[in-house]
Amino acid sequence: MRLALDEAERAARNGDVPVGAIVLAPDGSTVLASGHNEREAAHDPTAHAELLALRRAAAALGQWRLADCTLVVTLEPCTMCAGAIQQSRIDRLVYGARDEKAGAAGSLWDVVRDRRLNHRPEVVEGVLAEECARLLTAFFRDR
């Protein structure tokens, strides 16, 4: 999560909402890819940290299926990112701060664990939650 927080700080420095993401290889310690929000920088509404990290991890592995990989993200994924997580076949989602307004991994919705879908990753929430939330709070307070 500390690496994801570093990514989130990069987003904030560039004027984007400070969310960072890391994809870990099946060994659980090798970083395959990272990303941070780039919506403002790229003028792209889909440039969320999770999507960028998932795309880069798939490119690094040479396949779209990210089975046995872990996605670590500082903020609970939105519905768009939750759908991409489900589609990528990530086995484990670890996130920091809950998103009561748009979270789709347990807060507002639970897309990633919807029993109607063919893949449901393990979800670990609340890792360094206060630190992740502080970064977001400071960003919006200063805007």
Side-chain angles (χ1 to χ4, degrees), residues 18-75:
V19 178
I22 302 292
V23 178
L24 299 173
D27 67 12
S29 60
T30 303
V31 175
L32 286 176
S34 62
H36 57 269
N37 276 359
E38 296 182 22
R39 293 183 307 169
E40 298 296 333
H43 309 291
D44 179 355
T46 70
H48 286 207
E50 301 95 322
L51 291 183
L52 297 172
L54 290 172
R55 287 177 189 148
R56 293 168 183 155
L61 290 176
Q63 61 182 7
W64 65 267
R65 286 181 186 88
L66 301 176
D68 300 321
C69 293
T70 300
L71 175 65
V72 179
V73 62
T74 58
L75 179 65

Side-chain angles (χ1 to χ4, degrees), residues 71-94:
L71 175 65
V72 179
V73 62
T74 58
L75 179 65
E76 179 181 358
C78 68
T79 53
M80 175 178 67
C81 294
I85 290 163
Q86 191 275 333
Q87 289 295 313
S88 72
R89 309 304 195 264
I90 282 279
D91 274 3
R92 188 173 304 99
L93 166 64
V94 177

